[in-house]
Amino acid sequence: QYMTNSGRGDGRSSDQHDLEYLRATFEINGLDYDEMWGKIKYAVRTVMREFLELKNDQSDHSAQRNYQPFVTIPKILGFDFMIDSFQNPWLLEINRFPGLEPRSNLDSDVKHSVIYDAWVAAAKRIDAPIVFGPGFCPPSGTKTFSLE
């Protein structure tokens, strides 16, 4: 849902941008951002559907036992994609514990939005009121994204 690319920390990290920048870059180059984003949403939905099916599959108890905590507890996952020269996204890895410590102002805006959206989703899941302290909300004007 967010493009953070916090950097490798090895001195070779490239510039960091948000998804609005990526959309603008696609538009400038005459590329179809919505088509690419649709492919990413499809990949994430497919992976999550497979994990949920694995959770409910009673035929292989060892696999179910290994993945059940992963699919039953709400958590933030990091899906890392690479986009090739034909604008096809390739899923590289899924981070079960993505780094949420901001490394820059832009990174802070993005990561605070990720955390905010995760809390909103968790609150909705248990039908709880969505109430936050003033320092918890994402900066005004920050865009949030949905896979729905």
Side-chain angles (χ1 to χ4, degrees):
Q1 294 190 24
Y2 304 87
M3 184 172 79
T4 61
N5 187 16
S6 295
R8 296 180 294 265
D10 61 3
R12 297 182 299 141
S13 298
S14 59
D15 290 341
Q16 183 175 344
H17 303 286
D18 61 16
L19 289 171
E20 293 299 318
Y21 178 90
L22 181 61
R23 178 185 286 279
T25 301
F26 266 60
E27 289 174 1
I28 288 169
N29 291 289
L31 304 173
D32 191 340
Y33 175 88
D34 292 325
E35 179 181 349
M36 179 276 307
W37 186 246
K39 292 176 183 178
I40 289 176
K41 291 192 310 185
Y42 177 79
V44 171
R45 284 189 191 122
T46 300
V47 167
M48 296 309 297
R49 189 177 307 114
E50 290 297 320
F51 276 118
L52 291 174
E53 287 177 13
L54 180 62
K55 173 191 170 234
N56 295 323
D57 183 3
Q58 300 297 319
S59 63
D60 184 355
H61 297 290
S62 64
Q64 182 182 10
R65 186 170 47 253
N66 289 338
Y67 288 102
Q68 190 160 356
F70 174 62
V71 295
T72 57
I73 299 171
K75 68 182 282 64
I76 297 171
L77 300 173
F79 286 75
D80 292 349
F81 285 88
M82 174 185 71
I83 301 171
D84 68 19
S85 59
F86 299 102
Q87 298 81 51
N88 293 312
W90 294 88
L91 179 60
L92 301 175
E93 68 177 343
I94 302 169
N95 297 303
R96 290 180 61 192
F97 305 101
L100 295 174
E101 184 65 33
R103 293 183 176 94
S104 69
N105 287 339
L106 175 60
D107 198 36
S108 180
D109 290 351
V110 170
K111 289 182 178 178
H112 284 132
S113 295
V114 169
I115 295 167
Y116 174 83
D117 285 351
W119 277 105
V120 168
K124 287 180 180 178
R125 184 174 179 179
I126 61 171
D127 200 26
I130 302 171
V131 180
F132 300 102
F136 186 73
C137 295
S140 62
T142 301
K143 300 259 193 275
T144 58
F145 300 90
S146 173
L147 290 175
E148 295 177 7

